[in-house]
Amino acid sequence: MKRRRIYLDNSATTSVYPEVKKNMQKYFSKIYGNASSLHYFGRQSKIVVENSRIQIAKLINANPNEIFFTSCGTEANNIAILGVIQAYGSIGHVISSSIEHHSVLHTCEYLNKSGHIITYIKVDKHGIISVKDLINSLRDNTILVTIMHANNEIGSMQPIEDIAHELSKINKNRKHKIYLHTDSIQTAGKIKIDVKQLGVDLLTISAHKFNGPKGIGILYIKNGTKILPITFGGHHESAIRPGTENVPCIVGCAKAYEIASENLNEHYEHVSKLRQKLKEGILNTIPDVKINADNSHILSHILNVSFKYIEGESLLLMLDMKGIAVSTGSACTSDTLSPSHVLTAIGLSPILARGAIRFSFTYQNTITEIDYVLSVLPHLVNDLRLMSPIWRSNKL
Ligand SMILES: *Cc1c(COP(=O)(O)O)cnc(C)c1O
């Protein structure tokens, strides 16, 4: 018998839209020229790369020359942060938050080791920073503010527009402009992204989070932003990201973003229903649970739940045996099981942080799948709790 498989880990990655896959195919073997070559084959590739750039620029309200293709979201975040600091040329101050993705946090840590100063703004219990705190921590040498648009573990959204508004007032009297970067990887393809409305100078997107191919990212860099490359080679992507263009993935990224944009509201409503159904079902059938960061500033494709008295990893494995794929809130390294920095930052006790599970949805998930999850989850949680000494000492 074929096992039923339910994929609820769409914040980790998604499947590629069938149309996207179809669109990409001919760029592997039919139109395969190097987009930098001057001959016919090269020109063919160059045209599709530039058309994809125009397509994406239009969808996020940017100019095509502000769109840079990278090898992934991680690389785009690295270029944004390190590139702006490089161009600044002296010891700079960067403001970020305590709940950023590791591609931002570890880049900031690297900068700190090279002598730059980093401030990590704390978040409240809903996973949201205070704009006032951010503005209060500005210094004379602050050069960059990098705050994610929405968090990948709990879905909390940051007030990027408000930050941009405050910074624009402050920037009027500054010798060096404070740039604003946002990691928009969890919001792109889920809610409308308009770079002008957001007021950002740099913004990161990754295709594989909205049913595009893996290994392709976009960095939006507003015209006039002082930035230098962090890797060196040819003149691809205006030398900001040298390396032969990944034509199939660039095409796939643009197509996926187009499809996602066309279905934004419909998909959003759909995943909201799934989230609501799962949330209510869990609250109604399982005691000692906590819905993490649950408020109106939450993206509707993420549901993060803590099941008290159990290890998230154990539940993940039990769910996997039932054919259900989810992720945990903890970063499991080889010898330590440290709770996630995000869940710790929103004030969860270690016992709640360790029992966290992230369910993340996409347009393909169905109510029937949620029903199935709800039919197995309470039993699994109960079984695990019966094995937990802490639970037993509390309950039996
Ligand atoms: C997935 C993700 C990244 C990394 O993007 P890749 O394209 O996988 O390198 C960065 N930030 C956030 C918020 C993400 O969800």
Side-chain angles (χ1 to χ4, degrees):
M1 197 179 82
K2 198 163 170 271
R3 176 176 289 291
R4 168 182 206 160
R5 292 278 175 196
I6 296 175
Y7 186 77
L8 296 178
D9 198 15
N10 291 285
S11 281
T13 196
T14 55
S15 74
V16 172
Y17 285 121
E19 288 153 274
V20 168
K21 189 176 149 202
K22 202 165 144 253
N23 266 40
M24 287 171 68
Q25 240 137 26
K26 72 172 177 231
Y27 300 100
F28 286 104
S29 48
K30 223 166 157 188
I31 301 175
Y32 56 85
N34 184 320
S36 298
S37 300
L38 295 176
H39 47 62
Y40 173 82
F41 292 85
R43 290 196 309 273
Q44 291 282 89
S45 291
K46 179 82 180 160
I47 289 167
V48 293
V49 168
E50 293 318 312
N51 283 344
S52 303
R53 201 187 306 281
I54 292 166
Q55 201 177 356
I56 285 163
K58 215 172 181 178
L59 289 167
I60 66 168
N61 195 17
N63 291 317
N65 70 351
E66 296 173 317
I67 303 296
F68 297 81
F69 292 111
T70 68
S71 69
C72 60
T74 297
E75 188 189 35
N77 280 342
N78 273 259
I79 297 173
I81 298 166
L82 299 178
V84 164
I85 287 286
Q86 293 250 55
Y88 180 60
S90 52
I91 294 299
H93 174 235
V94 175
I95 299 178
S96 192
S97 84
S98 54
I99 62 165
E100 298 297 312
H101 186 268
H102 284 136
S103 57
V104 167
L105 280 185
H106 290 165
T107 305
C108 287
E109 278 167 30
Y110 166 76
L111 278 178
N112 185 233
K113 280 195 198 113
S114 358
H116 300 281
I117 316 294
I118 320 288
T119 301
Y120 301 97
I121 306 294
K122 290 194 173 67
V123 294
D124 64 15
K125 65 173 193 244
H126 300 302
I128 297 170
I129 64 158
S130 136
V131 179
K132 214 168 117 222
D133 285 356
L134 190 152
I135 298 301
N136 285 340
S137 48
L138 289 171
R139 300 183 186 189
D140 286 343
N141 64 341
T142 305
I143 182 67
L144 178 71
V145 172
T146 173
I147 302 282
M148 71 200 319
H149 198 189
N151 182 269
N152 47 299
E153 285 185 41
I154 55 177
S156 61
M157 289 187 61
Q158 304 302 337
I160 300 299
E161 273 179 58
D162 298 346
I163 298 169
H165 182 70
E166 292 303 316
L167 287 181
S168 73
K169 287 191 278 185
I170 290 161
N171 272 332
K172 287 197 181 110
N173 307 308
R174 302 266 303 194
K175 199 167 103 215
H176 291 281
K177 180 177 177 180
I178 305 162
Y179 291 116
L180 177 58
H181 166 247
T182 191
D183 171 347
S184 203
I185 294 176
Q186 286 297 329
T187 47
K190 312 290 171 31
I191 59 172
K192 171 87 185 145
I193 302 290
D194 178 322
V195 290
K196 297 213 170 65
Q197 196 184 325
L198 281 172
V200 293
D201 302 292
L202 305 111
L203 178 139
T204 307
I205 292 175
S206 177
H208 75 99
K209 303 289 174 80
F210 52 84
N211 305 91
K214 291 168 185 60
I216 184 81
I218 295 167
L219 181 59
Y220 157 79
I221 309 176
K222 188 177 174 177
N223 280 333
T225 302
K226 292 198 176 75
I227 188 163
L228 287 173
I230 59 167
T231 55
F232 302 91
H235 275 274
H236 320 87
E237 300 303 297
S238 312
I240 286 294
R241 199 279 173 181
T244 301
E245 290 87 348
N246 184 347
V247 182
C249 284
I250 288 173
V251 171
C253 174
K255 185 70 188 167
Y257 200 65
E258 186 190 275
I259 299 174
S261 301
E262 280 165 2
N263 297 286
L264 223 45
N265 295 337
E266 197 187 313
H267 287 175
Y268 197 86
E269 268 173 42
H270 179 69
V271 294
S272 299
K273 274 188 205 136
L274 302 177
R275 184 184 190 278
Q276 188 65 16
K277 168 125 188 147
L278 184 57
K279 178 181 133 180
E280 278 171 11
I282 288 172
L283 288 172
N284 290 338
T285 54
I286 309 174
D288 294 317
V289 294
K290 185 177 178 300
I291 310 292
N292 293 317
D294 196 28
N295 70 94
S296 55
H297 298 286
I298 286 287
L299 281 177
S300 60
H301 70 283
I302 296 177
L303 178 69
N304 192 302
V305 190
S306 283
F307 299 89
K308 217 170 165 184
Y309 308 117
I310 62 174
E311 296 291 338
E313 277 75 15
S314 312
L315 184 54
L316 181 151
L317 294 175
M318 301 270 269
L319 283 166
D320 190 41
M321 284 193 276
K322 297 282 180 193
I324 301 163
V326 297
S327 80
T328 61
S330 51
C332 177
T333 57
S334 53
D335 54 350
T336 60
L337 207 59
S338 52
S340 121
H341 65 289
V342 177
L343 299 178
T344 311
I346 61 170
L348 288 198
S349 62
I351 192 166
L352 276 172
R354 281 205 305 270
I357 290 286
R358 177 188 70 184
F359 302 91
S360 49
F361 317 101
T362 189
Y363 76 100
Q364 290 157 308
N365 293 122
T366 63
I367 289 281
T368 318
E369 289 180 331
I370 302 300
D371 283 333
Y372 175 68
V373 174
L374 287 169
S375 74
V376 299
L377 188 58
H379 305 289
L380 297 181
V381 171
N382 196 46
D383 291 351
L384 284 170
R385 281 180 176 166
L386 285 172
M387 290 186 262
S388 150
I390 317 169
W391 187 83
R392 289 167 69 94
S393 64
N394 269 293
K395 305 278 162 173
L396 294 180

